[in-house]
Amino acid sequence: MDGTRLEVHGTLGRVVVATRSFAPGEVVMAEQPLIVFDASPGASPESYLQAFASATSLVQASVLDMFHPPLDKDTPVVVARRRVANGLDGIFGLSKELIHKLLLIRDTNCHSYTGHEVAYSEVMGGAFGGVPGNSTKAALFDLGSKVAHSCCPNVSYTSKSRHGGLVYLAIRPISADEIVTYSYIDNTWTSTTRERQATCLEEKDFLCHCTRCAGLDTTCAIFCPTKSCAGFANPKSLTQPLQQWTCTVCGPLDESGLRTVKQQESSLQQELEELDKLARLGGAIHPNNARSIAERAAKTLSPAHRLVARAYDVVVTLCASHAAAAQRAGSRQGNYGSQVELRMQAVEAAEKHVKVCECIAAGCHGGIICTISHPAVFECANTVFFAAQDLMQQLPRQRSSGALAFVARYVGHMRTMHGEADTDVAAVQQMAGGEYTLY
């Protein structure tokens, strides 16, 4: 554990703490898995239980030492796992009580696991929704199980490595004595505090109290509803039944004055969710439908509202999917435009999605009309990577300097995410040109 140490935190329990500073891109820690098991959709727990039963006593002791929710807790996760354990009593010589504990340890601590290097490319009918080599396995790691959660993490992990182990890489500057954290959940920059809390509670049986969750929710920024006020309002809420809204100019706001804008927000979110669902089912949807939602959200809520980012993400998926469908059909023209037009629209939408995420991360309200250059957000690196794939389908003269600069800003994060030796990222860097930095 050179560069890190284990420490007992007052509320988080055992955590990994940095003993020195780390720059973005540096390896913070690496280790081999204790056990590896099947985690494909619909897989039974038997692969996991068999892996545990077949392990050495030392490995079993390390697994059983991992954190898990109390076995007598009445939360949905604990109750559901107890029911499964009762049905597997005696399998591989394991009692139902031990199985119950093991299932909760798996839920709380497992990592998606690949164990080898993979290449990335356009898949899933042309929509950039997945990558070849996506893992169908999971693993338990001794030190990895002690890395705490944060909605603004300072490391990311990968098991797509030559040595087959887990590698944690710094994605933001880490100071000595700082707790090492990664996010247990996805879409942290377009999910509200309440959504993130609900996901953590449902999937991991805990409530997050990181600095983001304890502060103002920057994903929900709206124009202040107070007449003639030019400020922006954000909510703050952890476990309170009512959110506490505060304007950057007016200060605390009365909940009654927010009813109209919250109704507009709810309506736009429902419209977007229905559209996204149809898109994922393969519906023939014009990208302008999602673009319209983004524009209305920016106008009625704020240019930096999460729904603006989410809507442009759907635009990206639709444009890329339609362009790839036309390519497979051997046609330059798709249902909603030419391949060139659709791919460029996908890049433009990706830029807007990322711009909003960067503003949310920076606590800025500019969003899609922001003129400030904020730090690149690691979690957006894949979005930019796939935008780069669309750019690479174009002739060099068709690639705008702005789009190339947008991609170049994220090459460093792509290197961290996919590895220094990744040939696809190298091709992106060659196209974008110039040296890359992480900040």
Side-chain angles (χ1 to χ4, degrees):
M1 283 185 65
D2 184 32
T4 60
R5 69 175 184 270
L6 279 178
E7 192 174 288
V8 178
H9 186 273
T11 56
L12 299 175
R14 289 172 297 179
V15 296
V16 177
V17 177
T19 58
R20 65 173 180 86
S21 61
F22 290 91
E26 277 194 88
V27 174
V28 177
M29 54 186 248
E31 64 173 322
Q32 293 295 314
L34 294 174
I35 58 174
V36 179
F37 48 92
D38 183 13
S40 56
S44 79
E46 293 185 17
S47 171
Y48 166 60
L49 297 174
Q50 184 175 29
F52 173 83
S54 303
T56 65
S57 58
L58 187 61
V59 168
Q60 289 183 349
S62 295
V63 170
L64 292 174
D65 187 48
M66 293 179 183
F67 172 80
H68 61 83
L71 301 182
D72 58 355
K73 206 171 181 181
D74 285 330
T75 58
V77 171
V78 177
V79 171
R81 295 299 175 261
R82 185 184 302 124
R83 189 179 303 115
V84 173
N86 289 340
L88 294 171
D89 188 23
I91 191 171
F92 306 121
L94 306 174
S95 69
K96 61 183 179 182
E97 292 80 12
L98 180 56
I99 293 172
H100 189 204
K101 180 175 180 177
L102 286 169
L103 293 178
L104 292 174
I105 287 173
R106 178 200 62 180
D107 293 345
T108 309
N109 300 281
C110 76
H111 289 64
S112 175
Y113 181 75
T114 302
H116 58 84
E117 293 181 305
V118 297
Y120 289 73
S121 63
E122 189 173 348
V123 294
M124 300 300 287
F128 297 127
V131 292
N134 260 4
S135 177
T136 58
K137 296 181 180 180
L140 289 176
F141 295 85
D142 188 22
L143 294 178
S145 68
K146 279 81 174 175
V147 177
H149 164 80
S150 172
C151 295
C152 186
N154 52 31
V155 299
S156 177
Y157 80 86
T158 180
S159 61
K160 299 180 178 77
S161 57
R162 292 179 182 176
H163 56 72
L166 182 76
V167 178
Y168 275 98
L169 296 153
I171 60 174
R172 295 179 176 88
I174 302 174
S175 303
D177 297 323
E178 184 178 344
I179 296 176
V180 177
T181 61
Y182 82 98
S183 178
Y184 297 178
I185 61 178
D186 297 324
N187 305 316
T188 55
W189 297 111
T190 55
S191 298
T192 68
T193 298
R194 286 191 165 184
E195 287 172 336
R196 299 194 307 273
Q197 292 282 318
T199 301
C200 286
L201 191 59
E202 179 182 352
E203 297 181 0
K204 301 294 184 179
D205 201 57
F206 76 95
L207 284 174
C208 178
H209 292 276
C210 70
T211 53
R212 274 193 72 198
C213 288
L216 293 176
D217 190 347
T218 56
T219 70
C220 297
I222 60 171
F223 296 116
C224 179
T226 304
K227 190 175 181 180
S228 74
C229 178
F232 291 85
N234 295 86
K236 179 180 179 181
S237 173
L238 283 175
T239 58
Q240 301 91 337
L242 292 177
Q243 292 178 312
Q244 302 166 353
W245 286 78
T246 301
C247 172
T248 53
V249 176
C250 303
L253 298 173
D254 187 344
E255 184 75 15
S256 62
L258 296 159
R259 287 174 186 162
T260 299
V261 70
K262 289 176 74 173
Q263 288 173 353
Q264 292 172 326
E265 179 188 60
S266 178
S267 176
L268 285 166
Q269 179 163 328
Q270 182 178 356
E271 185 179 352
L272 180 60
E273 288 174 351
E274 290 174 354
L275 186 69
D276 188 35
K277 183 178 180 180
L278 286 173
R280 293 180 186 280
L281 291 173
I285 300 170
H286 199 298
N288 281 347
N289 292 353
R291 190 178 288 110
S292 170
I293 297 174
E295 292 170 351
R296 282 181 282 139
K299 183 177 180 180
T300 60
L301 302 175
S302 85
H305 196 279
R306 72 184 184 284
L307 291 183
V308 179
R310 288 184 185 180
Y312 277 119
D313 192 40
V314 176
V315 175
V316 171
T317 300
L318 291 171
C319 290
S321 178
H322 294 322
Q327 185 177 28
R328 288 195 305 273
S331 172
R332 292 184 179 181
Q333 191 71 22
N335 291 333
Y336 304 107
S338 69
Q339 283 192 46
V340 172
E341 291 169 340
L342 288 166
R343 292 192 183 280
M344 293 312 298
Q345 288 174 27
V347 174
E348 291 168 5
E351 286 190 67
K352 291 179 178 179
H353 167 84
V354 170
K355 198 169 188 177
V356 175
C357 290
E358 290 176 351
C359 282
I360 289 173
C364 171
H365 299 111
I368 56 173
I369 60 173
C370 187
T371 57
I372 301 171
S373 180
H374 295 296
V377 175
F378 175 83
E379 291 81 2
C380 290
N382 253 351
T383 297
V384 183
F385 174 83
F386 290 125
Q389 304 309 302
D390 277 318
L391 275 178
M392 292 175 74
Q393 297 290 324
Q394 313 305 316
L395 296 172
R397 67 173 183 273
Q398 296 171 324
R399 304 166 188 161
S400 71
S401 58
L404 292 173
F406 162 63
V407 170
R409 290 180 61 233
Y410 275 84
V411 170
H413 281 320
M414 292 180 204
R415 291 282 187 193
T416 299
M417 183 173 285
H418 301 310
E420 287 289 335
D422 189 277
T423 55
D424 295 301
V425 175
V428 170
Q429 184 185 354
Q430 184 177 11
M431 175 193 68
E435 297 295 322
Y436 69 86
T437 59
L438 288 172
Y439 279 86

